[in-house]
Amino acid sequence: IYASYAASIVDLLDIHASPSACSDHRLQILDAGTGHGSLAMHLARAIASANPAPPDLPVPEFHSPSSELLDASNFARQQTELLASWAKYRESRRAVIHTLDCVAANSVHAEKIVRGFRQGLYWPHIDFHTARVGTWTREQFETRGSFLSYASLDLPDVHEELAAVAQTLLPDAKLSVFAPSISQIAECQLRVQTNNLPIYLEKVIELGEGISTGRIWDLRYVTPRARGKAPTEAAEASDADEHADSGDQPVDAPGHPAEANGQNDKKVLICRPKVGLRTFGGGFVGLWRKGIRPSTASL
């Protein structure tokens, strides 16, 4: 994820981190797919104000991997006192970024980058893990229940991990998915609907060069209307489509004649940009929220 995309994702998540003295709740954020650590650092910048000031100590020396990636016991013996001081600080944090990568070498590389950026400015706020996101989230859920306030996924076959991540989200928590193809976001939404996951799609935006804040896409699975509608009905339906938000309920809600008659009950995909022309490159971000979609009447 490029830095400009990471900044857009953090803006979409709309993170509000309260100062440590104002809240007893620890804000916890999952970044699945560490990569080079770009998104992890942007997230850490957003939550750093919630934590007490880090100790005036050097960042512990990073044990350089050779044939073995990390020799934790040898590393601990070399810097016992320094590690103990940092461990005490980590326990006092009120906001934490958990960044995961299933490849240990990627996690090691990303931590080196974070440690080297402005003398480790954001390193104290990030915990690095080497694990598969599904395995890690299920293990955490067994011991802690739901605990994540935000989650961001940048993974291959990301739709396979949605169920495991969704159960660890707190009520009203936000989940973002970054993917290079709109069809991957569509696959995620299909998985959400098929498995009745407790999250709903708020918006889909396109990121790319020349798109300042992201272009909104309309992405929905709907039941087609019955053929042979009267012209006035078709015109009203077309007008409703044009003004429907990307998160609105499908046009044919339960009880529509087409559904009642058992006709055209197969879901189809609506996938198009809201405005403007096509652009090339970039990627797409889907934003889901934990909970029940609010009805349009209450908005």
Side-chain angles (χ1 to χ4, degrees):
I1 297 178
Y2 295 113
S4 59
Y5 298 173
S8 296
I9 291 171
V10 173
D11 285 343
L12 271 176
L13 291 174
D14 193 27
I15 298 171
H16 295 278
S18 301
S20 57
C22 301
S23 175
D24 294 330
H25 169 69
R26 174 177 279 189
L27 183 71
Q28 301 194 68
I29 303 175
L30 172 64
D31 167 35
T34 302
H36 294 285
S38 174
L39 181 57
M41 281 199 288
H42 278 79
L43 290 168
R45 182 168 64 178
I47 59 97
S49 62
N51 288 328
D56 188 16
L57 295 170
V59 173
E61 181 183 347
F62 193 79
H63 184 69
S64 179
S66 53
S67 58
E68 297 181 357
L69 282 172
L70 288 174
D71 182 358
S73 61
N74 184 51
F75 182 58
R77 284 194 298 269
Q78 293 175 358
Q79 301 191 63
T80 303
E81 292 183 3
L82 187 59
L83 287 172
S85 298
W86 278 109
K88 184 177 180 180
Y89 170 77
R90 287 176 175 272
E91 291 298 321
S92 70
R93 294 175 301 177
R94 307 310 307 160
V96 182
I97 308 298
H98 300 283
T99 183
L100 276 72
D101 202 293
C102 62
V103 180
N106 291 348
S107 185
V108 169
H109 176 67
E111 186 169 358
K112 281 185 175 181
I113 292 176
V114 173
R115 284 167 173 263
F117 181 76
R118 298 193 178 184
Q119 300 181 334
L121 178 63
Y122 298 122
W123 175 80
H125 312 292
I126 305 173
D127 287 352
F128 292 84
H129 308 272
T130 301
R132 294 191 176 276
V133 61
T135 303
W136 187 86
T137 51
R138 279 188 286 268
E139 289 175 352
Q140 296 298 315
F141 182 75
E142 289 177 1
T143 58
R144 297 200 268 180
S146 300
F147 67 100
L148 293 174
S149 299
Y150 302 90
S152 181
L153 310 183
D154 175 20
L155 305 164
D157 296 325
V158 63
H159 59 282
E160 300 287 352
E161 311 292 353
L162 290 178
V165 174
Q167 68 179 354
T168 63
L169 296 175
L170 292 168
D172 208 39
K174 291 182 179 180
L175 165 67
S176 72
V177 172
F178 175 84
S181 170
I182 188 66
S183 62
Q184 291 171 283
I185 302 296
E187 184 67 29
C188 288
Q189 178 60 6
L190 180 60
R191 181 62 61 93
V192 169
Q193 293 187 187
T194 303
N195 293 355
N196 293 318
L197 299 183
I199 54 177
Y200 64 90
L201 183 64
E202 282 198 334
K203 66 175 67 175
V204 178
I205 70 165
E206 179 183 2
L207 303 177
E209 296 302 321
I211 305 175
S212 58
T213 58
R215 181 168 60 180
I216 298 177
W217 278 59
D218 184 9
L219 191 151
R220 292 173 288 152
Y221 281 92
V222 301
T223 304
R225 295 183 180 84
R227 297 179 182 274
K229 274 194 169 183
T232 55
E233 292 178 340
E236 290 173 359
S238 175
D239 184 64
D241 270 349
E242 290 299 323
H243 292 85
D245 184 75
S246 63
D248 285 347
Q249 295 289 340
V251 176
D252 286 306
H256 190 279
E259 197 169 310
N261 295 333
Q263 300 173 357
N264 301 324
D265 56 351
K266 184 178 180 180
K267 298 288 186 181
V268 296
L269 173 65
I270 292 177
C271 181
R272 60 195 177 192
K274 284 286 191 177
V275 293
L277 303 175
R278 293 182 180 179
T279 58
F280 299 94
F284 297 85
V285 178
L287 183 67
W288 285 262
R289 188 187 289 267
K290 179 76 171 281
I292 301 173
R293 179 191 297 281
S295 63
T296 54
S298 62
L299 297 178

